[in-house]
Amino acid sequence: MNASPETCYGREWELQQLHTLLNHAETECKTKVAFLSGMIGIGKTCLLGTFTKQLATNNKTVANIEVCATPHSKGFSIALLLKLLLKISEADSYDDVKNKTQLVFSSTKSAVRVLYLMNYALDSNQMNALANINKNQLDEIDAHIANDLLAYLGHKKVSVVAIDGLHLLTHDEVTFIRHLTQVKTSAPVLIVLTAQNNGLFTYLPSWLSSAHSIPIKELDVPTLETIAKNTLAKQGVCPHKYREKIDLAIRRINGNPLFLNQLLIAPNIDSSLPEKLTQSIKSTLDEMPPDACAILKLASHNGQHFDSKQLHQFSSHKAIKFPLCMVQKLLKSGLVTQTTEHFSFVHPMVCEAIKHHTRDFEDHGYKPQQNRQNYQVSRN
C-alpha cells in the first residue's frame, strides 16, 4: 500500500480496515459497505480523504461527495449523486442523458424515475406514469435503480463510492442511499458512508446493521503531540517554546484532533473554544425546540455529567410536561449521550460551548446544584 501524500495521524488501523474491505469486495466480486461514525472534529473526513488519496496513487477510481453544512446549500442532492455516478455533466444534452439512462437502467420506469430525480423535464405521459406509482412500487423501482447503478459502476471500474456527512441529509435522501447499500448485484464496489451520532444516526440504523461499522475514537496523547508539533512547525513556530501550551491544549481537547488544531491558533488556549464547534453548537441550538434547548442550557451550568433526578429538576423548573420526549430530543441532537441513568455531554468542550452561549440562566432565578459525583461514563 503506497503512503499517502498527507498523513492521517493515528488512524493506521482504520485505514487498514478500509483497504481490507475494498480487497474483499474485489476478490469476492461483491459490494461492501463501511460506516464511519463519530463526533464533530474527530477525524472522519480526514480518514476518508487519506484513504481516497491512497487509492488515487494506485490508480483506483473514486466517486466522492462531501456534504457541507452551509446557510444556503448542503452541497448534496440525489440529482448530484446520480449525475456524479453516471458521469453526466451540465454540457450533456437531454437526448444524450436520456440515451444513457436507457442503456444503464433495466426498465423504462427506472429510466424515467432517474430522469425525474436528476430534475430533467418529463412529458405528460411520463409524469402520469410516475404519478400512478404507489409508495411500495416506488421503493421497488428505487431498489432496481440502485442495483443497475452499482452494476454500471462495477463495469466502469469505480472502486469506491464515498458520501461524507449522512447526518446532514433528509429522510428521503438517506432512504435513496439505503437502497445502494442493499444491492444484490455482483459489483466489486466499496461504499463508504460517514455520519455524526445525531438525528437519524443517533444509533446505528437497522439498514446498516450488516455494514462494517468503524466508530472513530479519540486519539492518544503521543499522536496528539505529533499533530501539535507538525501544526506549529507549518506555521514557522518552534514547538519546544510552546510545550506548556501544547500540554494545556491536549488536556482540553480530550482526543479531538480538529479541536487541537483550532486551539493552537487561538489567542487564548486556556479559554478559547474551537470556532467550528461553536458554530455547530449555535446551529444545533437554533434548530432545537425551546424546551429541549432550555434543558441543555441548564444542564451545561451543572457540569459535563447529570443524572435522571437532575434532568427532572431541570424539566420541573421549565414546567416541561413530557420530559421523556425531551430526553429523546437531547440524544438526537448529538450533544448528549446516555449510559444507564447517567447523561453526559459528548465532550467537555461541548458543555463549555453551550454554557458560554447562554450565560444568562443564573440571572433568571435558577442556580443548579453543582454535580459532585464523578460518574464513570464510557466514551462515545
Side-chain angles (χ1 to χ4, degrees):
M1 181 174 67
N2 293 340
S4 171
E6 294 183 14
T7 305
C8 184
Y9 296 101
R11 302 299 184 196
E12 292 79 12
W13 181 85
E14 292 87 348
L15 281 169
Q16 187 59 51
Q17 290 288 299
L18 292 174
H19 282 285
T20 299
L21 276 174
L22 177 56
N23 183 59
H24 286 170
E26 292 174 338
T27 56
E28 298 172 16
C29 209
K30 182 179 180 182
T31 299
K32 300 286 184 179
V33 181
F35 178 60
L36 313 181
S37 61
M39 72 169 297
I40 181 175
I42 203 65
K44 302 179 298 296
T45 299
C46 179
L47 172 62
L48 185 56
T50 300
F51 176 56
T52 56
K53 286 176 183 176
Q54 290 177 344
L55 296 180
T57 63
N58 289 311
N59 298 317
K60 300 283 188 180
T61 302
V62 178
N64 189 17
I65 292 183
E66 181 178 356
V67 185
C68 301
T70 65
H72 304 293
S73 172
K74 61 178 180 290
F76 178 90
S77 65
I78 296 174
L80 177 64
L81 176 64
L82 287 169
K83 289 178 180 179
L84 174 69
L85 299 183
L86 292 170
K87 294 187 177 180
I88 292 173
S89 70
E90 297 300 323
D92 293 331
S93 70
Y94 175 75
D95 286 339
D96 288 339
V97 173
K98 184 178 178 181
N99 289 336
K100 188 163 197 174
T101 57
Q102 290 174 342
L103 287 172
V104 172
F105 300 100
S106 54
S107 74
T108 301
K109 287 183 179 179
S110 294
V112 172
R113 169 73 169 160
V114 168
L115 290 173
Y116 173 79
L117 290 172
M118 292 193 297
N119 299 322
Y120 287 100
L122 303 180
D123 61 37
S124 58
N125 290 333
Q126 292 171 325
M127 289 299 296
N128 288 335
L130 290 181
N132 290 326
I133 297 173
N134 62 39
K135 187 180 182 304
N136 290 335
Q137 292 172 326
L138 199 59
D139 282 341
E140 290 180 6
I141 291 173
D142 284 349
H144 286 302
I145 289 173
N147 286 336
D148 293 338
L149 197 54
L150 264 294
Y152 171 76
L153 294 177
H155 175 71
K156 290 295 182 179
K157 309 297 182 184
V158 174
S159 298
V160 173
V161 175
I163 304 176
D164 185 17
L166 253 61
H167 59 284
L168 297 170
L169 304 186
T170 66
H171 181 273
D172 287 344
E173 290 167 342
V174 170
T175 298
F176 186 83
I177 292 170
R178 184 197 72 200
H179 287 301
L180 286 175
T181 69
Q182 299 173 334
V183 292
K184 300 289 193 290
T185 187
S186 57
V189 178
L190 174 63
I191 300 174
V192 185
L193 309 172
T194 82
Q196 291 180 28
N197 305 114
N198 61 36
L200 297 172
F201 299 92
T202 304
Y203 308 102
L204 183 69
S206 59
W207 58 273
L208 282 173
S209 59
S210 60
H212 188 83
S213 182
I214 306 177
I216 309 302
K217 301 295 185 180
E218 299 88 349
L219 292 174
D220 58 26
V221 172
T223 301
L224 293 169
E225 289 177 343
T226 300
I227 293 173
K229 290 174 183 177
N230 280 275
T231 299
L232 292 174
K234 288 179 181 178
Q235 297 173 357
V237 176
C238 178
H240 295 293
K241 295 181 179 180
Y242 276 71
R243 183 69 258 177
E244 291 185 7
K245 290 186 176 181
I246 291 174
D247 291 343
L248 176 57
I250 288 175
R251 285 198 299 272
R252 289 192 67 205
I253 56 91
N254 201 34
N256 190 298
L258 175 65
F259 294 177
L260 175 62
N261 283 329
Q262 295 198 344
L263 279 191
L264 289 174
I265 62 173
N268 301 303
I269 290 179
D270 59 339
S271 60
S272 296
L273 291 167
E275 182 179 359
K276 188 169 183 179
L277 173 65
T278 57
Q279 290 174 347
S280 177
I281 294 289
K282 183 181 184 303
S283 176
T284 301
L285 292 177
D286 288 346
E287 294 177 0
M288 290 183 70
D291 285 346
C293 189
I295 289 179
L296 277 179
K297 294 172 182 177
L298 289 170
S300 70
H301 283 254
N302 187 76
Q304 186 183 357
H305 310 297
F306 53 100
D307 59 24
S308 297
K309 182 178 179 181
Q310 290 163 328
L311 182 63
H312 179 72
Q313 291 173 346
F314 303 150
S315 301
S316 297
H317 174 73
K318 299 302 296 182
I320 295 173
K321 295 181 179 179
F322 304 104
L324 290 179
C325 294
M326 289 301 106
V327 169
Q328 292 304 312
K329 294 185 184 299
L330 297 186
L331 296 175
K332 285 194 171 186
S333 73
L335 303 177
V336 173
T337 59
Q338 181 181 16
T339 56
T340 60
E341 291 298 309
H342 301 148
F343 299 88
S344 301
F345 289 99
V346 295
H347 192 280
M349 297 186 87
V350 168
C351 180
E352 284 185 58
I354 294 174
K355 185 175 181 180
H356 179 79
H357 188 65
T358 57
R359 293 185 177 227
D360 59 339
F361 268 76
E362 292 187 5
D363 296 332
H364 291 166
Y366 182 80
K367 295 184 178 181
Q369 296 293 320
Q370 184 64 35
N371 184 1
R372 298 181 183 275
Q373 290 178 287
N374 292 319
Y375 300 124
Q376 298 298 315
V377 181
S378 61
R379 289 180 175 179
N380 188 17

